[in-house]
Amino acid sequence: MNNFSVGLNYRISKSANLFHFISNLTSWHFSVRTVYRDIWLQETGPLSSNEKKVLGDIEKLFQKYSFGPKYWGRVFLVESDSKVWQVAKNKFNTKELQLFQSAAEVFLPRFKKVWRKEKFLLNYWACLLKENNKKFPSKQLIDDLNIFFGTDVEIKQVTVILLISSEYYFNGGANLDPGIVTLEIGINSSQVIQRSLMVLWHELIHSFWQNRQYEELIDKIAKEKKSKLRLSQSFFGQRPLENIINEAILESLLPKGYLAQKYFSFNTEENYDREIDILKNHQKDMSYWRTYAGYHLMPISRKYIENGRSLDALYIRQVLRVLKKFIK
């Protein structure tokens, strides 16, 4: 495969975005985008007492159908608008589904206020991303990732589900089946196409390269070090150590690490310096950890890739050394 654009399919769905909207209004998981919630409520007004009650009622459902094989995003994010509720009917408990349907009806008027402008922006981005696919290399990047993760991944088809964000924020997710990722975009500027594609590649690493062998290696070392490391929850909330390690490793590659520099001509050092300065008063924020870790691990990742060496226990112990310095 000489060009990554061959396998890219961008999708926009109203029901997927409604699910995404409601999910981020709750507090069901540490990955909830609280900044989205704050901005959306500024745009649409404070929550009513009934809306607060509904969010409380469905929060347990989000936790029950959390990330993993039972994740209900596999239905609500992936299925088309015309099929989604029928598929959900066959997948979920009737009483629970009715509760979520009621929640969707309650929040639909508020969602429409955001969706009215955001759907045009998503369509704009879908066109822009398609136009820019051919500008960026892929095979060499895939080869480097295969070296680093000790894999033999080939990408034939990728579905990118576009979701609403808020101005200046790019995020993504890879909690669905392999080859299906989400990309959250909220800024109307063609000048940041580079950034969006680097975020997309970060999610593709989660989707294709974060395999069982890799996860088992992280889990093993995390279990060995948990009692000694004693992470303070004031730093990372409920995030497990495995997640903290994983995000640090990926940050050293993309969207702002060594592979961003190598393949996207991204000025990594300048970006890290700027972000560390911006985030220095928010040192207990996960964003600061990603930036700090990416900066310190990038030279190590470069050496591994350019020397043809795959990630190993020694690398992960380096991550933990960086983490100890960060906490101190």
Side-chain angles (χ1 to χ4, degrees), residues 157-193:
Q157 185 70 31
V158 174
T159 297
V160 184
I161 300 168
L162 297 180
L163 300 173
I164 59 176
S165 173
S166 52
E167 194 170 5
Y168 303 119
Y169 288 94
F170 288 88
N171 284 297
N175 300 303
L176 307 169
D177 292 328
I180 305 177
V181 297
T182 57
L183 185 61
E184 303 156 26
I185 308 179
I187 188 170
N188 186 0
S189 172
S190 60
Q191 296 177 358
V192 289
I193 186 71

Side-chain angles (χ1 to χ4, degrees), residues 15-26 36-37 40-41 44 55 62 107-112 114-115 163-164:
S15 53
N17 276 277
L18 175 59
F19 175 82
H20 170 68
F21 181 80
I22 296 173
S23 175
N24 284 288
L25 290 179
T26 71
Y36 294 1
R37 178 173 61 202
W40 291 339
L41 292 181
T44 62
L55 289 178
F62 275 95
F107 284 100
L108 185 59
R110 183 184 290 271
F111 169 72
K112 282 182 176 179
V114 176
W115 182 242
L163 300 173
I164 59 176

Side-chain angles (χ1 to χ4, degrees), residues 72-127:
W72 63 354
R74 292 173 183 268
V75 173
F76 289 107
L77 291 174
V78 174
E79 296 296 333
S80 66
D81 290 336
S82 60
K83 295 180 179 179
V84 62
W85 289 106
Q86 184 57 46
V87 175
K89 185 177 179 181
N90 297 327
K91 287 271 188 180
F92 304 113
N93 176 294
T94 302
K95 185 177 179 181
E96 292 173 336
L97 183 59
Q98 288 175 345
L99 178 59
F100 185 69
Q101 283 179 309
S102 298
E105 290 173 4
V106 167
F107 284 100
L108 185 59
R110 183 184 290 271
F111 169 72
K112 282 182 176 179
K113 294 178 183 178
V114 176
W115 182 242
R116 194 173 294 125
K117 64 172 182 176
E118 294 293 340
K119 66 179 178 180
F120 296 107
L121 185 56
L122 292 184
N123 279 293
Y124 163 81
W125 268 102
C127 293

Side-chain angles (χ1 to χ4, degrees), residues 263-281:
Y263 290 106
F264 293 86
S265 301
F266 186 68
N267 193 329
T268 302
E269 284 82 3
E270 181 180 308
N271 178 79
Y272 278 135
D273 289 342
R274 183 173 62 251
E275 288 209 8
I276 286 175
D277 185 60
I278 292 170
L279 294 168
K280 63 186 177 184
N281 295 323

Side-chain angles (χ1 to χ4, degrees), residues 1-4 136-148 201 209 258-259 262-263 305-306:
M1 184 179 67
N2 295 320
N3 199 299
F4 183 64
F136 300 101
S138 59
K139 188 177 186 308
Q140 297 90 341
L141 175 50
I142 290 171
D143 289 344
D144 277 353
L145 289 170
N146 280 331
I147 288 171
F148 187 76
W201 270 101
W209 282 275
Y258 172 56
L259 295 181
K262 183 176 181 179
Y263 290 106
I305 291 170
E306 299 308 323

Side-chain angles (χ1 to χ4, degrees), residues 226-238:
K226 270 181 183 176
S227 60
K228 292 182 180 179
L229 201 55
R230 295 187 182 280
L231 281 177
S232 168
Q233 286 194 341
S234 64
F235 272 90
F236 299 113
Q238 299 301 315

